[in-house]
Amino acid sequence: MTSVRDAVAPDAEVIAGLIGELGYPTTADAITERSATLTAHGLGRVIVAEERGRIVGVATLSTIHTLHRPGGGVCRITALVVSGDARGLGVGRSLVYEIERHAAATGCARVEVTSAQQRTDAHQFYWRLGYRETPKRFVKDLPTPSAATAMHSDS
């Protein structure tokens, strides 16, 4: 039976490993720092899923308040990964259901998630849970704060 709870500081090492499985290598220290930023002001959460006391999944969410959308904000799944040896056991579903519960409880009118084009298994997963594909999104990566500072100090 999968249980879902908010992440705590001692979970950082396992979460770092899971985020690495998603293709984003990181450290426990970075996870601790990013988690604090994400959860500041109550606009985000980091949740973990456990099977028999072992963390086997992690998800993060952020709440976005909008002016143009009636009925509340948007809850965005910003990361979701299940350990390779726990896939197919309902862990991901448990994480998504907790996110949906949280979204409804905080007055969000929508849950959204983005998924890289090559993650076809993830696309199937979200379709099975009732999510639909929507039009394009446009992104622009900005320099890291230290690179931006260096860039502006040269002018």
Side-chain angles (χ1 to χ4, degrees):
M1 174 81 176
T2 302
S3 63
V4 176
R5 62 170 173 80
D6 286 297
V8 293
D11 301 333
E13 190 72 42
V14 176
I15 292 171
L18 287 166
I19 297 296
E21 281 191 46
L22 192 58
Y24 301 98
T26 190
T27 65
D29 288 341
I31 292 297
T32 300
E33 181 181 322
R34 293 176 197 158
S35 293
T37 300
L38 178 66
T39 59
H41 311 295
L43 296 177
R45 279 179 73 194
V46 180
I47 57 176
V48 294
E50 291 181 320
E51 286 283 333
R52 297 183 201 95
R54 183 179 141 237
I55 296 173
V56 293
V58 63
T60 59
L61 64 92
S62 293
T63 301
I64 303 162
H65 297 282
T66 62
L67 183 63
H68 69 282
R69 179 171 300 285
V74 176
C75 181
R76 178 173 290 164
I77 300 170
T78 55
L80 190 147
V81 61
V82 174
S83 176
D85 64 350
R87 292 187 186 136
L89 302 177
V91 174
R93 183 177 297 112
S94 294
L95 288 165
V96 170
Y97 288 167
E98 173 57 20
I99 290 167
E100 291 173 352
R101 187 209 61 73
H102 171 88
T106 58
C108 290
R110 170 179 277 185
V111 176
E112 66 181 24
V113 60
T114 59
S115 181
Q117 192 66 35
Q118 73 273 12
R119 296 188 196 277
T120 55
D121 288 345
H123 305 166
Q124 294 295 321
F125 168 75
Y126 290 115
W127 282 325
R128 283 192 306 272
L129 293 179
Y131 287 73
R132 66 189 191 303
E133 193 169 349
T134 59
K136 297 184 188 305
R137 94 183 150 121
F138 297 88
V139 299
K140 180 178 182 180
D141 292 331
L142 300 175
T144 61
S146 59
T149 301
M151 191 169 70
H152 292 296
S153 67
D154 292 339
S155 32

